[in-house]
Amino acid sequence: MIGRDDEVRSILGVAARAARGEGRVLVIEGEAGIGKTRLVKEALTAAQPLIGRAVPAAHPVPYRPFAEALMAVERAGAASAERTLDPLLSPIVAGETMLRALRDRAGRGGPGILALEDLHWADEQTLACVEYLADSLAREPVLVVASLRAEEASPAQDMVLRLAARHAVDVLDLGRLSGPDVARICDECLGGAPAAVGDYVRHYADGIPHLVEELLGTLLSSGGLRRVDGVWVAGELPAPVIPDAFGTAVTRRLAALGPDERHVVTVAAALGRRSAPSLLSMVSGFPENRLADLIARLSSAYLLVERHGTVEFRHALTREAVLASLPAGERERLASAALTVLESAETQSDDIAESMAGLAMLARQPDRGAYMLLTFARRARACGAPAPAEIALTRARELAVDPETVDKIDEETLAVLASWRARGSLVRVHASRLDQAVELGRHLVLRLEAGNAPPERRARIHLAVARANLGAKRWEQATADAAQAKRLDPRGRLRQEIDLIRADIAIGRDRHREAERLAQAAFDADPEHPLAGEALLILGRARRPNDADRARDAFARALAFAKRRSMPDLIAGSLNEIGTLDLLRNGTPDALEQARGQAFAIGAMVAGTVAQFNLVVLHLFRHELDRAESRAAELLDLAHRHRMGPLEYAASIARAAVAASRGDDIAAVEELLRHVPEALKADPEWSSLIWGHCYAVAAINRDDCDAARLALRHAHGLMQIPDPHHSPVPGLLTLLSVVAGEEYHETVRTLLQDPDRLSHAAARGPALAACAIREARQGNQTRANVLLREAFGTLAATPWFQAVTVRHVAASDVGPAWPELAPYLQHARGFFEAAALGTLAQACADTSAAGATTRTAAPRVGVPFDLKAAGVTARELEVAELVIRGLSNREIAQHLFLSPRTIDKHVERLLQKMGCPNRTTLALRLTPFLPS
């Protein structure tokens, strides 16, 4: 039985226990059509159960299900045939009669089984009898299986709740089938179903097996599914036909509603399968607190349910049944009035776009709907919310008839698709949409040329195509489209916009001076033009690799401009750029948090998800792995909900990077990467992320220097930007190459000459350490010490990178003779121990033992016997040595890279263990044990 293997096993398990004399009542709950009866038949047919059914009736017959079961025994001529159930019998006598009949049927290794169908319609006497059996079967070889509708309030429901509370029954909840299971049913029924048919049935059956068969039957009878040359072919798919029993049940529930509940459920049906509470409140006219009460009542009536912040119908066909209950004229009036409300809506969301399209169809006003959706899409794009804009335009295209309107919709679609390029994104968020934009742009240009459209209009098409190519990093094509736009704009009306695109292209080609000049010119052309804010953003990005302070100034000016002009998209973009700068400097996540909140508040999902991705990376660099993992999980959910496939894979890579940073074995890392498609793994940019942040980190954490160096070299070779300031890869590659004596790599030679060209602190720090090693090899120890201190200071906020850098500098040929390394090495060892990176902690310990013998060496391995007997530890002995030398607790803390509070505790314990009243006495007492 498709999709019910676990449930069948559960029923067979209860039956097996009953056969051993552990009788039970099992209640199978589920909505109508879910397959309760079929499940019992599938699981228990071989056991030949007695079957009794309750039926709906104004005056139910007492004991009807039990009487039906016993009549089957009588017809079979069994020994218990003389037993009958008088309606006047007490439930106890009736229950005992049924129990004895079932006990007689037990045998041959199986229990006596009674299947009671549709218990929700059962009479009062039958329910009392079931309750008696539930309390009496514990030591009997008897199983009673009852089916019960979960969505209908009934005395049977109340009885089951009572019995379950005292553990007298087992309850099996039968849920809906998954999409793949529904597809399997379609395939088995048809011997292979067309994809369109499978999608149609999955949508309207909503996981209910009975409706799968009903819908397939409807398709066959309507011509929506026909057989051609032995193959099933999908025709025109009809509007769903509501099964009689389903429609009757919905009609009955609607009839029981009050006027307010009825109004809310009809408005919800007009808006669609699901809608946001705020939208439902807006159209229904009820404030949200009152609406919440009404939704709760509609949920109790099994019509609506609130899930994940949206209100939706329990079943797709429930909505259809509600709409079918309205007269055609009332449906149209309701839809038209709802459209009028939505025309004034200022929020941008997928729900509103979908609702507008559906309402336009219900109101029979497609032209009005297309215009509204186009207006909505323009407003959404202006707020930086391309996802709802794209949905709105898709629906508008379906409604539009006029060719000029179609062209306007396509032009806006092109602008929206091109806008998927996220400013400063670490990944290409929507390459497929960018390709779609380029293709649409080419077709639009041909159509507009054929229609003699004004040159400026055609120039704007070329600009949109240039943006799409820019987002896809196709610099040559973007340059060509920008040039074509310039030729079509002889009056220079679009010069500012063209210069900004050229500046963006220059940044992509690593021509930052040219980009700065173009962006500055665009800003100076009109500092109050709305594009001036965009010019400041590009100006900041052009400055970022060479002058972070001036870059921050440009971003701050862009933020001030956006706030002054009330441009929420630019506010989010500016905060994102400031946050990215903090990411490169290992600063705080404050700006990124603000950018994320601002973007989501206005529906700018791309900007919001990019800020979320940057937060993951920031926490990863700061080795805040729990927070990074939590952020990655949130990113995965966001990308999934808003259909941003590539960012789902970015989240998977981020989770794999967290696992690698935590020291998980390579199999665990690769298991997380399994969710990334092979085609994406072959893409250079994605592959560089995987090799640089997953495989290289995993190799470093297992102290496999050769594998780490190879992974870093491979990752760097895949990078498409000459100055990959976002990545720590070049710095780590430089350090490991210099330690191994491999300085011939072009990037290594370049960075040894100018490590400050790396704007990412986690890259610049290792590169500075590599320069320190080279200076030490050349005998310039003073210069080496200066570089070493600068390197470790640069890495202060990235503890893993700092500790790894220390470990490899100490492992170099000049490390053992470098006294200044000792305290750093001790600190690195402590970090690795706390991070449970045992291999690296041991490597640090081995390096210390091999040669790092300075006044701040690692804690002594051997504690003198007398001190050990007093309970003094190696760390306390190290603290004691510094106390003897006259250092204060704060100075000792700085020396050992520990907190002052920790040192306070060490000194306090030493005073207690040695029985000394003060530090002077302690120093005198311990001096004989520490002659050095």
Side-chain angles (χ1 to χ4, degrees):
M1 190 174 182
I2 294 174
R4 300 299 190 202
D5 292 345
D6 290 342
E7 289 85 353
V8 169
R9 279 193 292 270
S10 295
I11 294 172
L12 293 177
V14 176
R17 291 193 294 276
R20 296 194 298 268
E22 301 172 24
R24 200 70 174 159
V25 173
L26 173 65
V27 178
I28 300 176
E29 281 195 341
E31 57 195 305
I34 202 68
K36 300 180 291 295
T37 299
R38 185 173 298 181
L39 174 64
V40 173
K41 183 178 179 181
E42 179 75 20
L44 299 176
T45 294
Q48 297 181 332
L50 295 178
I51 299 173
R53 301 170 183 83
V55 295
H59 303 288
V61 176
Y63 300 123
R64 185 196 187 285
F66 291 111
E68 181 181 353
L70 287 175
M71 290 305 294
V73 176
E74 185 175 340
R75 283 194 296 272
S80 57
E82 71 277 5
R83 294 173 186 152
T84 59
L85 292 181
D86 189 313
L88 299 179
L89 284 176
S90 77
I92 295 175
V93 175
E96 188 62 28
T97 300
M98 195 71 241
L99 173 55
R100 292 177 184 180
L102 291 169
R103 188 190 294 137
D104 289 347
R105 293 180 63 81
R108 296 184 301 279
I113 301 176
L114 171 64
L116 297 174
E117 296 179 5
D118 297 327
L119 198 61
H120 42 278
W121 287 324
D123 57 279
E124 181 182 347
Q125 292 90 333
T126 295
L127 296 179
C129 191
V130 170
E131 191 160 2
Y132 172 80
L133 289 171
D135 291 329
S136 306
L137 296 183
R139 292 181 175 82
E140 299 288 348
V142 171
L143 172 63
V144 176
V145 182
S147 62
L148 176 66
R149 282 190 188 172
E151 74 271 25
E152 294 188 12
S154 65
Q157 278 276 18
D158 297 337
M159 179 200 70
V160 170
L161 289 174
R162 287 197 310 272
L163 293 173
R166 63 177 191 257
H167 307 291
V169 296
D170 292 330
V171 179
L172 178 62
D173 289 316
L174 204 56
R176 297 182 183 183
L177 295 176
S178 66
D181 286 336
V182 171
R184 284 177 60 201
I185 293 176
C186 291
D187 287 339
E188 287 209 359
C189 289
L190 300 174
V197 169
D199 292 341
Y200 175 91
V201 173
R202 274 198 301 274
H203 175 73
Y204 285 111
D206 222 5
I208 297 181
H210 175 70
L211 292 180
V212 174
E213 297 170 2
E214 291 273 349
L215 289 165
L216 288 175
T218 299
L219 290 174
L220 286 168
S221 61
S222 67
L225 179 64
R226 62 185 188 279
R227 203 167 181 83
V228 179
D229 297 330
V231 178
W232 289 107
V233 177
E236 184 177 349
L237 300 176
V241 176
I242 302 164
D244 290 341
F246 190 94
T248 300
V250 173
T251 301
R252 188 171 64 249
R253 292 174 206 154
L254 290 173
L257 298 177
D260 288 354
E261 290 90 343
R262 181 67 182 256
H263 178 62
V264 169
V265 79
T266 52
V267 168
L271 291 175
R273 171 72 191 278
R274 55 183 59 85
S275 54
S278 57
L279 179 59
L280 189 53
S281 173
M282 185 192 313
V283 179
S284 69
F286 288 112
E288 291 201 23
N289 55 351
R290 169 65 175 151
L291 181 65
D293 292 337
L294 295 171
I295 290 171
R297 295 180 198 174
L298 290 166
S299 179
S300 298
Y302 276 80
L303 292 168
L304 295 179
V305 65
E306 193 164 3
R307 291 194 188 102
H308 309 302
T310 63
V311 178
E312 61 182 73
F313 283 90
R314 284 187 175 271
H315 193 281
L317 289 180
T318 305
R319 183 219 176 200
E320 304 296 330
V322 172
L323 289 175
S325 72
L326 299 173
E330 186 178 341
R331 276 200 304 270
E332 291 175 19
R333 284 193 299 275
L334 175 65
S336 182
L339 277 175
T340 301
V341 173
L342 293 187
E343 275 183 304
S344 61
E346 296 184 359
T347 56
Q348 278 71 44
S349 71
D350 300 4
D351 296 314
I352 288 184
E354 293 282 10
S355 295
M356 280 181 177
L359 289 169
M361 296 299 292
L362 277 178
R364 300 182 183 276
Q365 298 173 0
D367 292 336
R368 180 189 180 192
Y371 177 77
M372 283 179 62
L373 287 162
L374 177 59
T375 304
F376 170 89
R378 287 170 174 162
R379 195 165 61 236
R381 179 170 65 88
C383 287
E390 189 178 340
I391 290 171
L393 291 165
T394 301
R395 299 293 178 264
R397 193 66 155 79
E398 293 168 355
L399 294 171
V401 177
D402 177 58
E404 179 64 20
T405 302
V406 170
D407 280 348
K408 289 179 179 177
I409 291 169
D410 285 349
E411 288 176 51
E412 182 61 26
T413 301
L414 171 61
V416 168
L417 290 171
S419 75
W420 275 110
R421 179 181 67 86
R423 297 187 190 92
S425 171
L426 299 183
V427 293
R428 286 176 296 177
V429 178
H430 274 273
S432 61
R433 283 181 167 89
L434 298 174
D435 293 339
Q436 188 181 345
V438 171
E439 185 66 21
L440 178 59
R442 302 297 181 217
H443 286 296
L444 266 173
V445 166
L446 293 175
R447 273 163 37 197
L448 293 178
E449 285 177 350
N452 293 319
E456 184 177 332
R457 187 175 175 187
R458 285 182 281 145
R460 290 191 180 280
I461 301 300
H462 282 289
L463 284 177
V465 174
R467 285 193 194 89
N469 278 317
L470 179 62
K473 302 187 179 181
R474 294 188 283 258
W475 317 124
E476 294 294 341
Q477 294 95 317
T479 301
D481 281 303
Q484 183 64 21
K486 189 173 182 179
R487 282 193 290 272
L488 290 168
D489 182 42
R491 297 182 181 179
R493 292 179 179 175
L494 302 177
R495 179 178 176 180
Q496 203 173 9
E497 198 168 347
I498 293 169
D499 281 349
L500 289 179
I501 288 177
R502 291 173 61 204
D504 238 343
I505 295 169
I507 290 174
R509 288 178 154 175
D510 201 29
R511 299 172 183 170
H512 296 97
R513 301 296 183 196
E514 177 187 343
E516 185 174 358
R517 177 180 58 77
L518 288 166
Q520 187 67 60
F523 177 79
D524 292 341
D526 186 355
E528 292 303 315
H529 191 279
L531 284 174
E534 182 76 15
L536 289 169
L537 282 186
I538 295 175
L539 187 64
R541 288 170 47 218
R543 291 172 174 173
R544 185 166 56 199
N546 301 310
D547 194 333
D549 291 331
R550 292 180 68 229
R552 180 176 284 275
D553 175 69
F555 294 145
R557 289 166 61 198
L559 180 60
F561 179 91
K563 288 180 176 178
R564 189 171 68 251
R565 301 287 294 267
S566 298
M567 301 171 71
D569 180 35
L570 187 59
I571 291 173
S574 303
L575 288 169
N576 223 339
E577 295 291 3
I578 292 170
T580 301
L581 202 58
D582 289 339
L583 169 64
L584 301 181
R585 287 178 157 187
N586 302 317
T588 66
D590 296 350
L592 287 173
E593 293 279 11
Q594 292 179 49
R596 178 183 179 279
Q598 173 74 24
F600 288 147
I602 63 171
M605 301 314 301
V606 173
T609 48
V610 168
Q612 180 80 13
F613 182 84
N614 284 339
L615 280 167
V616 174
V617 176
L618 181 61
H619 291 308
L620 195 58
F621 286 147
R622 293 163 67 94
H623 208 72
E624 297 164 347
L625 300 185
D626 289 342
R627 297 190 69 183
E629 191 164 43
S630 172
R631 293 287 190 186
E634 291 172 8
L635 176 64
L636 193 64
D637 179 61
L638 282 167
H640 179 72
R641 280 194 284 121
H642 297 286
R643 298 183 289 280
M644 296 181 180
L647 269 173
E648 286 192 52
Y649 308 134
S652 295
I653 293 173
R655 293 176 69 195
V658 171
S661 299
R662 190 174 279 132
D664 293 353
D665 61 48
I666 196 64
V669 174
E670 290 184 331
E671 175 61 23
L672 290 167
L673 291 173
R674 185 175 57 82
H675 302 291
V676 181
E678 291 300 323
L680 234 57
K681 290 179 182 177
D683 178 87
E685 187 170 0
W686 290 89
S687 188
S688 70
L689 284 171
I690 292 170
W691 280 93
H693 294 270
C694 300
Y695 290 125
V697 171
I700 288 171
N701 278 341
R702 64 176 183 268
D703 209 31
D704 187 342
C705 300
D706 292 338
R709 202 163 57 254
L710 287 171
L712 290 166
R713 192 177 301 159
H714 186 61
H716 188 270
L718 292 166
M719 289 180 176
Q720 298 177 335
I721 305 173
D723 178 19
H725 52 262
H726 283 309
S727 174
V729 166
L732 287 173
L733 174 61
T734 299
L735 174 61
L736 268 63
S737 298
V738 168
V739 170
E742 298 176 357
E743 299 183 17
Y744 51 80
H745 193 283
E746 181 181 352
T747 297
V748 173
R749 291 201 305 270
T750 301
L751 293 180
L752 285 173
Q753 295 298 322
D754 183 16
D756 287 334
R757 70 174 293 165
L758 290 170
S759 54
H760 199 308
R764 191 168 63 254
L768 287 166
C771 294
I773 292 173
R774 189 180 64 168
E775 293 293 335
R777 284 172 176 165
Q778 295 171 357
N780 302 324
Q781 198 62 45
T782 301
R783 175 62 179 160
N785 289 339
V786 170
L787 288 169
L788 190 67
R789 284 193 293 272
E790 185 180 354
F792 294 158
T794 300
L795 295 169
T798 53
W800 183 85
F801 287 91
Q802 186 186 63
V804 164
T805 298
V806 172
R807 184 268 174 281
H808 287 284
V809 172
S812 68
D813 55 328
V814 294
W818 204 332
E820 285 75 5
L821 272 177
Y824 294 111
L825 191 61
Q826 179 61 32
H827 183 64
R829 179 183 176 183
F831 168 80
F832 289 135
E833 287 174 346
L837 297 172
T839 303
L840 290 176
Q842 186 59 50
C844 290
D846 293 344
T847 302
S848 296
T853 54
T854 70
R855 62 194 178 102
T856 56
R860 302 167 184 269
V861 176
V863 178
F865 179 82
D866 290 345
L867 295 183
K868 187 181 293 184
V872 175
T873 66
R875 172 65 80 186
E876 288 168 349
L877 191 61
E878 183 183 21
V879 171
E881 184 175 19
L882 298 175
V883 169
I884 292 171
R885 289 168 50 193
L887 274 66
S888 69
N889 285 4
R890 183 168 295 279
E891 289 170 331
I892 295 172
Q894 292 172 347
H895 205 75
L896 297 179
F897 298 92
L898 297 172
S899 71
R901 183 174 177 80
T902 300
I903 301 302
D904 290 344
K905 289 183 177 179
H906 281 311
V907 173
E908 182 180 346
R909 291 192 193 105
L910 279 168
L911 291 170
Q912 290 174 350
K913 291 175 182 180
M914 302 308 297
C916 298
N918 51 49
R919 295 167 71 91
T920 303
T921 307
L922 178 66
L924 291 171
R925 176 79 184 275
L926 291 177
T927 298
F929 298 100
L930 299 166
S932 62

